[in-house]
Amino acid sequence: RALSGDVAFLLHRVFMRSISVLGSDKQVAKWIPLATQHKLIGSYAQTELGHGTYLQGLETTAVFDIAAQEFILNTPKISAMKWWPGDMGRSATHTVVFAQLYIHGKCYGIHPFIVQIRSLQDHSLCPGITAGDIGPKMNFEHIDNGYLMLKNVHIPRENMLSKFCEVRPDGTYVRQGSQQINYFTMTTVRISLISDEVLTPLMKSCTIAIRYSAVRRQSKLKPGEQEAKILDYQTQQEKLLPQLAAAYAFHFINDYLQELFDRGYREIQRKNFDMLPELHALSSGFKAVITHHCTAAVEICLRACGGHGYSLLSGLPSLYTKILASCIYEGENTILLLQTARFLIKCFMAANAGQPVPPSVTYLATGKPGKCPAKSKMDFLSPDIYTEAYQHVAVRLISSTASKLQDLIQSGVKKYDAWNQCTVQLVQAAKAHCHYITVKNFAETVEKLETKAGIQRIMKHLCDLFALHGIFSNTGAFLHDGYISAAQMDMVTASYLDLLAVIRKDAVPLVDAFDFTDKCLNSALGSYDGQVYQRLYEWAQKSPTNKMSPAYEKYLKPLLHNTLSKL
Amino acid sequence: RALSGDVAFLLHRVFMRSISVLGSDKQVAKWIPLATQHKLIGSYAQTELGHGTYLQGLETTAVFDIAAQEFILNTPKISAMKWWPGDMGRSATHTVVFAQLYIHGKCYGIHPFIVQIRSLQDHSLCPGITAGDIGPKMNFEHIDNGYLMLKNVHIPRENMLSKFCEVRPDGTYVRQGSQQINYFTMTTVRISLISDEVLTPLMKSCTIAIRYSAVRRQSKLKPGEQEAKILDYQTQQEKLLPQLAAAYAFHFINDYLQELFDRGYREIQRKNFDMLPELHALSSGFKAVITHHCTAAVEICLRACGGHGYSLLSGLPSLYTKILASCIYEGENTILLLQTARFLIKCFMAANAGQPVPPSVTYLATGKPGKCPAKSKMDFLSPDIYTEAYQHVAVRLISSTASKLQDLIQSGVKKYDAWNQCTVQLVQAAKAHCHYITVKNFAETVEKLETKAGIQRIMKHLCDLFALHGIFSNTGAFLHDGYISAAQMDMVTASYLDLLAVIRKDAVPLVDAFDFTDKCLNSALGSYDGQVYQRLYEWAQKSPTNKMSPAYEKYLKPLLHNTLSKL
């Protein structure tokens, strides 16, 4: 399982990141070495049974006791019980608990506290702690997601993470900078999970499904000939190649986000919080868009392999059930998109009032009606043409939703009701923004690859495919105000379908090299995924009636042997 | 598990159906009583490791031996090995094997043969038989999907199912009616699986997710008030209510298909095969459209419950992994849609040449440009308005793809290449046809409910919602040729979003009644699904460290107890 990335103690890193980002120098000096040397096992206890996305509603309390110089932590109701934290069911000894801070009966909002939950001697639960595993899930059997109840748990004053907010011994509360900074760990987690938890499963799935489609033959394309490789069917290309293109699109946007984040993080270390809103908006929106898109893509890959994809031996089912969780954890996607939308509406208003806005949204000031200038299907292979079309749609959706919002408010609807009545369209607007940035960034990245001609040519095809697939799958957004005409949309379709055959010929022939004696077994054999061998092995061990078929015996056993001997 | 429908021996029914449909009176009289009394356990062996959708390519052979009056069956290569048949890994004693029939060295194509594979005395494999389980899958752990190899297996001449095709003792081959009739078992299975395997999971998922959303509270809709039920958020309504509407739409189309099928079946019993093409086209297309739509819907329900949906205890993960298989088994969806498309293109040509066509496609002759006559958002609540819009789009997509096909062929492209180059659009056309029939049938069904006013009102809302959701999610198809203008599309959007709030108020309040003391636990408590209790119970038994949380102990145990005591 470790071969395929199913490792435990992932939350240990989040524990450490919280302390690095939110801890004072003294706290970092004390806890990070202990964690690095694994003298403790960390977790991150934010979500409660009754509260996921609405952090302000968390019910766990941390009351400051001046006399004892301690915080007293409680989960006063069942709905306040921490629920889901990874590695907490059985493993963690310490965790960062998010709780409402009270001093002299006054609530100061959510703050992070380091709490020891298990003994470092015998791993028994500490006094006042109730914890365990929350039960079976759709995947992540290797992670003990847990629950945690706290009953009058005392921790020293020094355990509140205090780089930005501090409680002085006399109970004075001091804040440096934004209260929002306490949510910053989530921002960093959202960005890091894109490459680790989302792109890797998609890349694996594309590899498995495309290699399978290059060796699996089914039905005849031309009468009298051998059955055709399924990758030669237009419908199969149309399923898989756009997912391959998306894997690259999101790989490059991940680089973009990482760079933006590094810049923002350096500023925050200098106590400059100006980039926080943009970072929060982009990390939220892209987390939602990428996890959603990649989850759908992995499902497409699975289904494109037919029954062999549904067999656990293909590796695809567990890639799917794993990536699906990414749509839910670290911020539910709809809520995240609405946070991005709130930022976009604010920036749109500002930009149109001539005020400065962050670089990623300056385009919002440039909106104008216009028409797409393309005259032939070849014109739609020009990044300028399609990037502008995406920009136009993003501006249109953001501005029309902003207008609807204002109209409702002016007609007397309460602000919060008006917002709720626009949320379906706000989500569309936020997606359009992220889609535009992704296409633009992909095109710019390909442009910069000019010294590597062979790679650049293939990447240009994939960039075009990603862009045209987005238009083809969402024609209404581009047709609505006539920016793209019906005749032009037919050109988009023609160009898009042509590209599939081009990429099949130009970029995919490498995979044709894989042609095992028994072409039918490749869903298992064709995949790199260590999990495949592992699952088969586990299953075969389970019961003497679970015998491998002769075919698997013949082809898989040597491979399994070979793989294990290399470990 | 039985409570939630996870029962074994489902293929026994398919085995019986094959014999009922394809067997002679004598065969029916011999085998059906044995099967009914469970004196044998049947399976259905069609798919091979190397061949799923392309039945003509099946490699298993049945050679007639005149001297012995027997068929000799072989799976000559690994890719000919039967692969996937349910209940065959360990359970079945008999199966219907589909094999290429050879007489005097001449191949007569695929025919069904009853083959005994295990002893009725000690359940050991019969001579020449190799069989076992194909390994772990994404669900269906309770079904032993199997593989089967045949090496010179002899069966009596009487074991070829011979209602429509017969091999006489002297080797004469006699066929009555269409060769296609041998695929008829699949047609009946495709229709029956819609209600059993697809609609039920969707209905359960809707119930679980909507009840959860009526008791789960998160974040504030109005400042100063209690946190809001998540069902009161527009985005949550927009996720779940269209799925509820779809469950009804497909429930009614299932009735329509069932009626059509019963009529066709009666004709076939009279050896009249005229309805076969229409039945095949409709059962294929609807199997694909409904399984695809319902699978996506169950995933939406799962994700709409956040982490609680991802927990196995919600019942949703296993509903998803089960329904997902329906997109793959009994005909891969894309292939099925292309079969429907082939029928539609043929009928379109015929209709436009003034030839008679089956009733479900007479509308193809009526295509004309035109514009949608709606003038206000209220007009889009008129079934005539939206049904015509769907009809218009279906005709446009079918006719434009037929034109593209003809243009390609006239420009010198080979017929099979031209077909492949149109397949992405042919799939769209087939979907549009099924979508149109579904909307039309829903509207007509609601119309007929006129004596039950209360139910009719709610059903009318759901019918409108289903229709408008389809337009809203696929605006490009309706905008493309200007049938619906941009201004009208804004009316559709407004009407659609209004409906969500209306249905929330009008049809869903019943579920508000469920308000458990601990609102957070309802993803488990709110579901009827026996599986939930079963999974929790199994999981808790597995290891002493798997302890139920106190909350589950408190609420689930009595329920579990209660449920089990009723069994």
Side-chain angles (χ1 to χ4, degrees), chain B residues 42 62 110 133 222 305 326 366 405 415 434 501 510 550:
Chain B
I110 292 302
D133 192 301
K222 300 181 192 183
C305 296
S326 71
T366 65
L405 202 54
K415 216 172 161 184
C434 294
L510 265 182

Short mmCIF file of all heavy atoms in Angstrom, two decimals, chain B residues 42 62 110 133 222 305 326 366 405 415 434 501 510 550:
data_model
loop_
_atom_site.label_atom_id
_atom_site.label_comp_id
_atom_site.label_asym_id
_atom_site.label_seq_id
_atom_site.Cartn_x
_atom_site.Cartn_y
_atom_site.Cartn_z
N GLY B 42 -28.68 -21.42 -11.45
CA GLY B 42 -28.33 -21.02 -12.80
C GLY B 42 -27.48 -19.76 -12.86
O GLY B 42 -27.49 -18.94 -11.95
N ALA B 62 -19.17 -24.01 -30.17
CA ALA B 62 -20.02 -25.18 -29.93
C ALA B 62 -20.11 -25.92 -31.26
O ALA B 62 -20.77 -25.45 -32.19
CB ALA B 62 -21.39 -24.76 -29.44
N ILE B 110 -23.70 -16.74 -32.99
CA ILE B 110 -23.88 -16.94 -31.54
C ILE B 110 -25.21 -17.62 -31.21
O ILE B 110 -26.26 -17.16 -31.67
CB ILE B 110 -23.84 -15.56 -30.86
CG1 ILE B 110 -22.44 -14.98 -30.95
CG2 ILE B 110 -24.28 -15.63 -29.40
CD1 ILE B 110 -21.41 -15.85 -30.33
N ASP B 133 -13.57 -17.60 -9.00
CA ASP B 133 -13.98 -16.21 -8.77
C ASP B 133 -12.99 -15.27 -9.45
O ASP B 133 -11.79 -15.52 -9.44
CB ASP B 133 -14.00 -15.98 -7.25
CG ASP B 133 -14.68 -14.69 -6.85
OD1 ASP B 133 -14.24 -13.61 -7.29
OD2 ASP B 133 -15.65 -14.76 -6.08
N LYS B 222 -29.69 34.13 8.08
CA LYS B 222 -30.01 35.49 8.52
C LYS B 222 -29.20 35.78 9.78
O LYS B 222 -29.21 34.97 10.72
CB LYS B 222 -31.50 35.61 8.85
CG LYS B 222 -32.35 35.30 7.65
CD LYS B 222 -33.83 35.43 7.91
CE LYS B 222 -34.54 34.81 6.71
NZ LYS B 222 -35.99 34.91 6.77
N CYS B 305 -24.04 15.45 1.37
CA CYS B 305 -24.06 15.18 2.81
C CYS B 305 -22.67 15.37 3.43
O CYS B 305 -22.46 15.03 4.59
CB CYS B 305 -24.55 13.76 3.09
SG CYS B 305 -26.25 13.51 2.59
N SER B 326 -23.88 -0.34 -12.96
CA SER B 326 -24.97 -0.44 -13.95
C SER B 326 -24.64 0.31 -15.24
O SER B 326 -25.25 0.07 -16.27
CB SER B 326 -26.29 0.08 -13.35
OG SER B 326 -26.24 1.48 -13.20
N THR B 366 -41.35 15.75 -38.44
CA THR B 366 -42.01 17.04 -38.25
C THR B 366 -41.04 18.20 -38.04
O THR B 366 -41.47 19.30 -37.76
CB THR B 366 -42.94 16.98 -37.02
OG1 THR B 366 -42.10 16.79 -35.86
CG2 THR B 366 -43.94 15.85 -37.13
N LEU B 405 -22.88 13.07 -41.61
CA LEU B 405 -22.56 11.71 -42.05
C LEU B 405 -22.63 11.62 -43.57
O LEU B 405 -21.71 11.12 -44.23
CB LEU B 405 -23.58 10.77 -41.40
CG LEU B 405 -23.26 9.30 -41.23
CD1 LEU B 405 -21.96 9.08 -40.49
CD2 LEU B 405 -24.40 8.62 -40.43
N LYS B 415 -17.59 4.71 -45.46
CA LYS B 415 -18.76 4.73 -44.58
C LYS B 415 -18.41 4.50 -43.10
O LYS B 415 -18.88 5.20 -42.22
CB LYS B 415 -19.74 3.65 -45.06
CG LYS B 415 -21.19 4.06 -44.90
CD LYS B 415 -22.13 3.06 -45.55
CE LYS B 415 -23.54 3.22 -45.00
NZ LYS B 415 -24.46 2.22 -45.52
N CYS B 434 -33.77 10.45 -25.99
CA CYS B 434 -34.27 9.85 -24.74
C CYS B 434 -34.75 10.92 -23.76
O CYS B 434 -35.74 10.73 -23.06
CB CYS B 434 -33.19 8.98 -24.09
SG CYS B 434 -32.76 7.55 -25.08
N ALA B 501 -37.36 26.92 -4.64
CA ALA B 501 -37.92 27.41 -3.38
C ALA B 501 -39.37 26.95 -3.21
O ALA B 501 -39.80 26.62 -2.10
CB ALA B 501 -37.82 28.94 -3.35
N LEU B 510 -42.66 17.82 4.75
CA LEU B 510 -42.83 16.57 5.50
C LEU B 510 -41.55 16.13 6.17
O LEU B 510 -41.57 15.67 7.31
CB LEU B 510 -43.29 15.47 4.54
CG LEU B 510 -44.79 15.26 4.46
CD1 LEU B 510 -45.08 14.12 3.51
CD2 LEU B 510 -45.35 14.94 5.86
N PRO B 550 -19.57 7.19 21.67
CA PRO B 550 -20.68 7.20 22.64
C PRO B 550 -21.99 7.62 21.98
O PRO B 550 -23.06 7.10 22.31
CB PRO B 550 -20.24 8.25 23.66
CG PRO B 550 -18.76 8.37 23.49
CD PRO B 550 -18.47 8.03 22.06
#
